Amino acid sequence: MDGLDDVENSMLYYNQAIILYHLRQYTEAISIGEKLYQFIEPFAEEKFAQALCFLLVDLYLLTYQPEKALLLLAVLEKMISQGNNKNGKPSEAYKDASNQKVDTGVMVEATKSKIHQCKVRAYVQMKSLKACKREIKSVMNTAGNSAPSLFLKSNFEYLRGNYRKAVKLLNSANITDHPGFLSTGECIRCMFWNNLGCIHFAMGKHNLGIFYFKKALQENDAACVQLAGMSMDQGKKFSGRPMSTLLTNKRYELLHNCGIQLLHIGRPLAAFECLMEAVQVYHSNPRLWLRLAECCIAANKGTSEQETRGLPSKKGIVQSILGQGYHQKIVLASQSMQNTVYNDGQSSAIPVASMEFAAICLRNALLLLPEDQQETKKDNGLRNFNQSGSGETGNENTEACSGKPHEGDKFLVPGPPSSPLRKEELDNLRCSILAGSAYVALALGDNLMALNHAENLLQQTKLSGSLKFLGHLYAAESLISLDRISDAITHLNPENVTDVFLGVSSNEQDQGSDRGENEQMENSGKQILQCYPNSVSSACAMMLFNLGSAYCLRSEYDKARKCLHQAASMVNPKEIPPEGILLAVYLELQNGNTQLALQIIKRNQLLPSLKALSSDIKKKSVFQSIQTVQPPPFNTVQRK
C-alpha cells in the first residue's frame, strides 16, 4: 500500500478490500479503501468511484463510525447530482441518453434509495431520532414497502420505544421476495426472528424472546447446512460458494443474545453454556466476561441466597429441637458464609459455573478496560446485526450506548458483537465489575481482596447510589472479618445511603428505547432481587442492623440495642430480616432476659409487647433453653 501513488492498480486494491470485507477484516479493508479514496478524483469511471464510496460507508457503519459514513454519503449525493466527472465530461453511465434514459433513471433512483438507507443506519447508531425520522420518509418514498425499508422503519420505532409498532412493521415485511443468502450473503429469516427476539427482550417478555432467538438459530443452522452441502457437491478444488456467503453465519452473535436472555429469565446455567461459546470468539469484550461472572454468581446463589448460604429464612431461625421436657434445647441455624468450597477440588480455570471461575472472568473484564478510566454501568442489551449489502437493518444497537452522542464522545473499547463502549459506559462498567469482584471475593473468603475491590469501587467518581450502598456493605463485611471493627463502623453509617435505584440514572437515558428497557429492568429487579432493599429507608435499616451487629462484636450492647430499635421503626415488621431477629435474641441473652429471647424466637417477631409477654410466661413454655452463644451474622441482605 505504501507504493500506491497512482490509480494504475486501483481496481486490484479495490478487489482486495472487497475480499477483506467479506472475511470480516474491516480495519484492513478500511485502510485500503481510505488510501484509494485519496485518488478518487482521477478515477476514469464514476461508477467505480461510487462503488468505492459505498464500500467505505458500509465499513464505517460496521465499525460504528457513523460520522465518517455521513461525510462520505454527502460526497456521494454531490457526485450523483452533478452526474459528471472532474473533467466536466459526461460520465459513462449517462452517455447515449436517447436509448438509456429509462435505465439511467432507475439506476439513479436505486442509488439515491441506497444512500437514504445508509443514512438511516448511521442515524440509528448515533440515536439521532429527528434526523432518522426525516430519512425514513425518504426511504419509504424511494423504496416503498420493501423488506429493507420496513426493517429500517421497525428499527426506528424500536428506538422510540414503540415496540408493538416495531413488531407490526416486521410482520408486514415480505421476506419471501428477498433474493436469498446465496446472492446477498444474508439470511433474512434469521434476522427477522432475531429482531423479534430483541424487541420482546426490550418489552420484558423474555420467554418469548428466547423462543424467537431459538428460531433464528434454527434458520442460521439451516443456511449453514445448505452452504456445506454446496461445498461438498462442488468437489475439493473449489467450494462453489459465493464470496458473500462468508458473512452468512451469525451463530455466535445469536448465542450471545440467547445467553443474555436466559440470564434474565433466571436460567444461569443455560446462559453460561451459550455465553461460553460466544466468548471463544469475542474474548476481547469486557461486558461479556461480566455476564459470564453473573451467570456463575446466579448459579451459586440459587433462588434464595439465604437458603443457599445457610442463613436462616424468616421461618427457619430454629434449625432443630433436641431433647425432651426440661432438657429440651433449641439449635439455631448456622450463619457461616465464608470459606465455602464451590468447585470440589477442580481447577479454577476449568470453565464451569463456579465462584472461582467467576473471579477469573471478573479479572479478565477488569484487565480489558483501559487504565486511565474509572467506573461504569450495567447494560442489559442484545446485539442486532444489520443487512449490509442491501442496506437492510435489524434493530441495531440494542446494547448500544444510552444517551445521545456529543462532541468529543469517543469509542474507547470495542465490544463485539455489541456496539463499542463509550466513556460513560466504561465508567459504569468498571463500577459493576468492581462490585461483582468484591462480592465474589467475600464468598470465597478472600477478605483482603474484597476490601481492595470495595474501596476501589467507592473511589469512583460517577458511582451510582445502588453500587455505593453495596460498596459500603462489602467493605464493612470484609473489615469485620479482618477484625477492624472501628473502620467497619465508619462504612455502616446510614448517612452513606443516598439512593438504591437499580437502573440507569435519568440523565443517561435516551428518550426512546433505553427508557423502556431500564424501566423493565427495574421492575424485573424488584421480582428477582428479593433480598435487595426497595427504598432508601429499607437500605438505612439494613445498615443499622449491620451496625448493631458490629457494636455487638465490641460488646457495646446499649448502642447495638439503639440501632436495632431504630432499624425496626423504619421498616414494616414483616420486612425485618431474620438476622435482625437473631440480633434481638443475642442482645436479650446478653442482658439475661432468657424468657424474652425465647418468646422472640417462638413468635418470630422482633419485640413482643410486655402484655403479651407476661401472659405467655405464665404458661408452661416448650422451649427450655437455647443452645447458642454466637453473635448474630454481620451481613444482612445486600447481595445485588
PDB file of all heavy atoms in Angstrom, residues 227-242:
ATOM      1  N   LEU A 227     -25.069 -24.409   2.745  1.00  0.00           N
ATOM      2  CA  LEU A 227     -23.772 -23.989   2.209  1.00  0.00           C
ATOM      3  C   LEU A 227     -22.762 -25.126   2.274  1.00  0.00           C
ATOM      4  O   LEU A 227     -21.957 -25.314   1.356  1.00  0.00           O
ATOM      5  CB  LEU A 227     -23.257 -22.773   2.979  1.00  0.00           C
ATOM      6  CG  LEU A 227     -24.017 -21.463   2.758  1.00  0.00           C
ATOM      7  CD1 LEU A 227     -23.508 -20.389   3.709  1.00  0.00           C
ATOM      8  CD2 LEU A 227     -23.864 -21.005   1.319  1.00  0.00           C
ATOM      9  N   ALA A 228     -22.783 -25.886   3.359  1.00  0.00           N
ATOM     10  CA  ALA A 228     -21.862 -27.016   3.479  1.00  0.00           C
ATOM     11  C   ALA A 228     -22.145 -28.067   2.415  1.00  0.00           C
ATOM     12  O   ALA A 228     -21.230 -28.669   1.840  1.00  0.00           O
ATOM     13  CB  ALA A 228     -21.970 -27.631   4.871  1.00  0.00           C
ATOM     14  N   GLY A 229     -23.434 -28.291   2.108  1.00  0.00           N
ATOM     15  CA  GLY A 229     -23.785 -29.234   1.064  1.00  0.00           C
ATOM     16  C   GLY A 229     -23.300 -28.794  -0.298  1.00  0.00           C
ATOM     17  O   GLY A 229     -22.833 -29.605  -1.113  1.00  0.00           O
ATOM     18  N   MET A 230     -23.365 -27.487  -0.557  1.00  0.00           N
ATOM     19  CA  MET A 230     -22.851 -26.959  -1.822  1.00  0.00           C
ATOM     20  C   MET A 230     -21.359 -27.211  -1.953  1.00  0.00           C
ATOM     21  O   MET A 230     -20.854 -27.580  -3.005  1.00  0.00           O
ATOM     22  CB  MET A 230     -23.128 -25.455  -1.912  1.00  0.00           C
ATOM     23  CG  MET A 230     -24.573 -25.082  -2.169  1.00  0.00           C
ATOM     24  SD  MET A 230     -24.753 -23.305  -2.306  1.00  0.00           S
ATOM     25  CE  MET A 230     -23.639 -22.953  -3.649  1.00  0.00           C
ATOM     26  N   SER A 231     -20.643 -26.997  -0.868  1.00  0.00           N
ATOM     27  CA  SER A 231     -19.184 -27.186  -0.899  1.00  0.00           C
ATOM     28  C   SER A 231     -18.821 -28.631  -1.196  1.00  0.00           C
ATOM     29  O   SER A 231     -17.874 -28.917  -1.930  1.00  0.00           O
ATOM     30  CB  SER A 231     -18.577 -26.744   0.440  1.00  0.00           C
ATOM     31  OG  SER A 231     -18.883 -25.387   0.700  1.00  0.00           O
ATOM     32  N   MET A 232     -19.572 -29.570  -0.650  1.00  0.00           N
ATOM     33  CA  MET A 232     -19.276 -30.983  -0.884  1.00  0.00           C
ATOM     34  C   MET A 232     -19.609 -31.386  -2.317  1.00  0.00           C
ATOM     35  O   MET A 232     -18.900 -32.173  -2.932  1.00  0.00           O
ATOM     36  CB  MET A 232     -20.070 -31.834   0.102  1.00  0.00           C
ATOM     37  CG  MET A 232     -19.645 -31.659   1.553  1.00  0.00           C
ATOM     38  SD  MET A 232     -20.641 -32.619   2.693  1.00  0.00           S
ATOM     39  CE  MET A 232     -20.214 -34.274   2.169  1.00  0.00           C
ATOM     40  N   ASP A 233     -20.689 -30.806  -2.856  1.00  0.00           N
ATOM     41  CA  ASP A 233     -21.087 -31.166  -4.220  1.00  0.00           C
ATOM     42  C   ASP A 233     -20.088 -30.671  -5.261  1.00  0.00           C
ATOM     43  O   ASP A 233     -19.901 -31.291  -6.298  1.00  0.00           O
ATOM     44  CB  ASP A 233     -22.475 -30.590  -4.530  1.00  0.00           C
ATOM     45  CG  ASP A 233     -23.553 -31.238  -3.683  1.00  0.00           C
ATOM     46  OD1 ASP A 233     -23.293 -32.346  -3.173  1.00  0.00           O
ATOM     47  OD2 ASP A 233     -24.629 -30.641  -3.521  1.00  0.00           O
ATOM     48  N   GLN A 234     -19.442 -29.544  -4.978  1.00  0.00           N
ATOM     49  CA  GLN A 234     -18.548 -28.952  -5.962  1.00  0.00           C
ATOM     50  C   GLN A 234     -17.176 -29.618  -5.998  1.00  0.00           C
ATOM     51  O   GLN A 234     -16.352 -29.273  -6.823  1.00  0.00           O
ATOM     52  CB  GLN A 234     -18.376 -27.454  -5.658  1.00  0.00           C
ATOM     53  CG  GLN A 234     -19.647 -26.637  -5.821  1.00  0.00           C
ATOM     54  CD  GLN A 234     -20.113 -26.588  -7.255  1.00  0.00           C
ATOM     55  OE1 GLN A 234     -19.297 -26.632  -8.166  1.00  0.00           O
ATOM     56  NE2 GLN A 234     -21.422 -26.515  -7.463  1.00  0.00           N
ATOM     57  N   GLY A 235     -16.907 -30.518  -5.101  1.00  0.00           N
ATOM     58  CA  GLY A 235     -15.610 -31.179  -5.092  1.00  0.00           C
ATOM     59  C   GLY A 235     -14.625 -30.448  -4.194  1.00  0.00           C
ATOM     60  O   GLY A 235     -14.959 -29.501  -3.498  1.00  0.00           O
ATOM     61  N   LYS A 236     -13.392 -30.907  -4.202  1.00  0.00           N
ATOM     62  CA  LYS A 236     -12.389 -30.386  -3.281  1.00  0.00           C
ATOM     63  C   LYS A 236     -11.683 -29.135  -3.797  1.00  0.00           C
ATOM     64  O   LYS A 236     -11.147 -28.363  -3.029  1.00  0.00           O
ATOM     65  CB  LYS A 236     -11.350 -31.468  -2.980  1.00  0.00           C
ATOM     66  CG  LYS A 236     -11.929 -32.696  -2.286  1.00  0.00           C
ATOM     67  CD  LYS A 236     -10.837 -33.703  -1.975  1.00  0.00           C
ATOM     68  CE  LYS A 236     -11.407 -34.907  -1.254  1.00  0.00           C
ATOM     69  NZ  LYS A 236     -10.361 -35.915  -0.942  1.00  0.00           N
ATOM     70  N   LYS A 237     -11.676 -28.936  -5.116  1.00  0.00           N
ATOM     71  CA  LYS A 237     -10.878 -27.838  -5.661  1.00  0.00           C
ATOM     72  C   LYS A 237     -11.497 -26.483  -5.353  1.00  0.00           C
ATOM     73  O   LYS A 237     -10.820 -25.556  -4.920  1.00  0.00           O
ATOM     74  CB  LYS A 237     -10.719 -28.017  -7.171  1.00  0.00           C
ATOM     75  CG  LYS A 237      -9.715 -27.053  -7.779  1.00  0.00           C
ATOM     76  CD  LYS A 237      -9.474 -27.372  -9.245  1.00  0.00           C
ATOM     77  CE  LYS A 237      -8.410 -26.431  -9.821  1.00  0.00           C
ATOM     78  NZ  LYS A 237      -8.174 -26.704 -11.252  1.00  0.00           N
ATOM     79  N   PHE A 238     -12.808 -26.341  -5.560  1.00  0.00           N
ATOM     80  CA  PHE A 238     -13.494 -25.084  -5.288  1.00  0.00           C
ATOM     81  C   PHE A 238     -14.720 -25.369  -4.427  1.00  0.00           C
ATOM     82  O   PHE A 238     -15.349 -26.420  -4.553  1.00  0.00           O
ATOM     83  CB  PHE A 238     -13.928 -24.404  -6.598  1.00  0.00           C
ATOM     84  CG  PHE A 238     -12.790 -24.111  -7.533  1.00  0.00           C
ATOM     85  CD1 PHE A 238     -12.597 -24.865  -8.674  1.00  0.00           C
ATOM     86  CD2 PHE A 238     -11.907 -23.084  -7.242  1.00  0.00           C
ATOM     87  CE1 PHE A 238     -11.542 -24.603  -9.529  1.00  0.00           C
ATOM     88  CE2 PHE A 238     -10.853 -22.820  -8.098  1.00  0.00           C
ATOM     89  CZ  PHE A 238     -10.658 -23.570  -9.241  1.00  0.00           C
ATOM     90  N   SER A 239     -15.049 -24.436  -3.592  1.00  0.00           N
ATOM     91  CA  SER A 239     -16.201 -24.635  -2.716  1.00  0.00           C
ATOM     92  C   SER A 239     -17.513 -24.416  -3.447  1.00  0.00           C
ATOM     93  O   SER A 239     -18.537 -24.979  -3.072  1.00  0.00           O
ATOM     94  CB  SER A 239     -16.128 -23.676  -1.524  1.00  0.00           C
ATOM     95  OG  SER A 239     -16.306 -22.336  -1.956  1.00  0.00           O
ATOM     96  N   GLY A 240     -17.516 -23.585  -4.486  1.00  0.00           N
ATOM     97  CA  GLY A 240     -18.753 -23.299  -5.191  1.00  0.00           C
ATOM     98  C   GLY A 240     -19.635 -22.285  -4.494  1.00  0.00           C
ATOM     99  O   GLY A 240     -20.727 -21.967  -4.962  1.00  0.00           O
ATOM    100  N   ARG A 241     -19.193 -21.765  -3.358  1.00  0.00           N
ATOM    101  CA  ARG A 241     -19.972 -20.780  -2.607  1.00  0.00           C
ATOM    102  C   ARG A 241     -19.638 -19.372  -3.077  1.00  0.00           C
ATOM    103  O   ARG A 241     -18.470 -19.044  -3.276  1.00  0.00           O
ATOM    104  CB  ARG A 241     -19.661 -20.882  -1.116  1.00  0.00           C
ATOM    105  CG  ARG A 241     -20.186 -22.104  -0.446  1.00  0.00           C
ATOM    106  CD  ARG A 241     -19.677 -22.215   0.980  1.00  0.00           C
ATOM    107  NE  ARG A 241     -19.852 -20.979   1.726  1.00  0.00           N
ATOM    108  CZ  ARG A 241     -19.498 -20.842   3.007  1.00  0.00           C
ATOM    109  NH1 ARG A 241     -18.961 -21.867   3.651  1.00  0.00           N
ATOM    110  NH2 ARG A 241     -19.672 -19.706   3.631  1.00  0.00           N
ATOM    111  N   PRO A 242     -20.633 -18.522  -3.225  1.00  0.00           N
ATOM    112  CA  PRO A 242     -20.335 -17.105  -3.479  1.00  0.00           C
ATOM    113  C   PRO A 242     -19.577 -16.510  -2.301  1.00  0.00           C
ATOM    114  O   PRO A 242     -19.777 -16.910  -1.149  1.00  0.00           O
ATOM    115  CB  PRO A 242     -21.728 -16.478  -3.617  1.00  0.00           C
ATOM    116  CG  PRO A 242     -22.641 -17.612  -3.920  1.00  0.00           C
ATOM    117  CD  PRO A 242     -22.063 -18.810  -3.242  1.00  0.00           C
TER     118      PRO A 242
END
